[in-house]
Amino acid sequence: AIRMTQSPSSFSASTGDRVTITCRASQGISSYLAWYQQKPGKAPKLLIYAASTLQSGVPSRFSGSGSGTDFTLTISCLQSEDFATYYCQQYYSYPRAFGQGTKVEIK
Amino acid sequence: QITLKESGPTLVKPTQTLTLTCTFSGFSLSTSGVGVGWIRQPPGKALEWLALIYWNDDKRYSPSLKSRLTITKDTSKNQVVLTMTNMDPVDTATYYCAHSPSSTGPSAFDIWGQGTMVTVSS
């Protein structure tokens, strides 16, 4: 099974910061990579699929890149509503594994 | 507008079987390429993919839980049912169902239900 490893597990940032989260797959997954945002007590929300395609309605400050085994999620200018936990997920093969999550906290 | 909603018991005893129902609207599970999956999240922990069923009744399971899981669909009722046998306290989690859209290839989960919390305790 493919394992997904995110880094860092958590970090603190300020509104307006540019932040980057990394996701690494244990084997190549082409571009079959999604990013989700989850706020406390809420269901995950799809932000990006196919590694770099923005889901409809998601602000353009979110972007994704990468292919193969290494991927990044970037938030260009952090807003107050972006403080949340972010998960990557591969959908190249089964099981459709998620990363362990990256919590973005307010500095 | 696609919506999904999970339902089932909030409390089950160890060794019991859990049955969860995902009732959806806004799409048909008879449409080519469409799927519905189940994902769970223990309190304070990460998401865990459990199972996925497709329009053509193709079923996929997490290898670590495969012996305990069964996923079925009732297209006429717009429902997907997940059963998990031999429940244990470590299975305490919020269980989500999610929509996998039709695509020329594999798809992410674009719409999720609100989730249902299941506690396993005697």
Side-chain angles (χ1 to χ4, degrees):
Chain A
I2 297 174
R3 289 182 292 105
M4 307 302 292
T5 303
Q6 289 180 233
S7 60
S9 296
S10 65
F11 66 95
S12 299
S14 301
T15 303
D17 284 352
R18 178 184 179 89
V19 301
T20 298
I21 298 169
T22 297
C23 177
R24 175 165 288 177
S26 61
Q27 58 186 272
I29 59 170
S30 184
S31 295
Y32 294 108
L33 191 282
W35 289 98
Y36 301 89
Q37 177 194 65
Q38 187 180 33
K39 296 181 179 180
K42 300 295 186 181
K45 171 188 173 184
L46 178 64
L47 298 176
I48 288 170
Y49 61 95
S52 60
T53 302
L54 209 60
Q55 175 70 346
S56 176
V58 174
S60 59
R61 62 181 180 272
F62 291 92
S63 64
S65 65
S67 68
T69 60
D70 295 313
F71 302 86
T72 59
L73 171 69
T74 299
I75 309 172
S76 61
C77 182
L78 201 64
Q79 302 298 301
S80 57
E81 59 266 33
D82 301 336
F83 292 97
T85 300
Y86 294 85
Y87 293 93
C88 63
Q89 183 205 17
Q90 68 83 15
Y91 51 100
Y92 176 80
S93 68
Y94 301 99
R96 303 275 206 242
F98 291 89
Q100 82 279 16
T102 295
K103 186 174 184 178
V104 180
E105 299 175 297
I106 301 173
K107 183 182 287 185
Chain B
Q1 178 194 4
I2 290 174
T3 65
L4 305 98
K5 188 172 184 179
E6 307 86 353
S7 60
T10 58
L11 179 66
V12 297
K13 290 180 168 51
T15 76
Q16 287 186 337
T17 294
L18 171 68
T19 299
L20 294 173
T21 301
C22 176
T23 302
F24 57 85
S25 63
F27 68 96
S28 173
L29 203 39
S30 59
T31 299
S32 179
V34 172
V36 172
W38 285 94
I39 304 98
R40 72 178 178 179
Q41 185 174 39
K45 296 189 177 181
L47 300 166
E48 180 183 14
W49 185 90
L50 298 178
L52 183 55
I53 188 167
Y54 290 100
W55 88 104
N56 59 357
D57 212 36
D58 183 19
K59 304 169 185 178
R60 305 286 177 160
Y61 295 100
S62 168
S64 64
L65 293 167
K66 186 174 182 178
S67 64
R68 299 173 54 206
L69 294 175
T70 303
I71 190 170
T72 60
K73 63 180 176 70
D74 186 329
T75 304
S76 64
K77 292 184 178 179
N78 282 351
Q79 290 181 333
V80 170
V81 174
L82 182 75
T83 61
M84 180 179 292
T85 62
N86 194 24
M87 292 292 285
D88 183 272
V90 300
D91 297 313
T92 294
T94 296
Y95 287 76
Y96 297 98
C97 62
H99 172 257
S100 177
S102 175
S103 171
T104 53
S107 299
F109 293 123
D110 62 346
I111 307 293
W112 294 57
Q114 65 188 26
T116 186
M117 177 67 192
V118 177
T119 300
V120 184
S121 176
S122 55

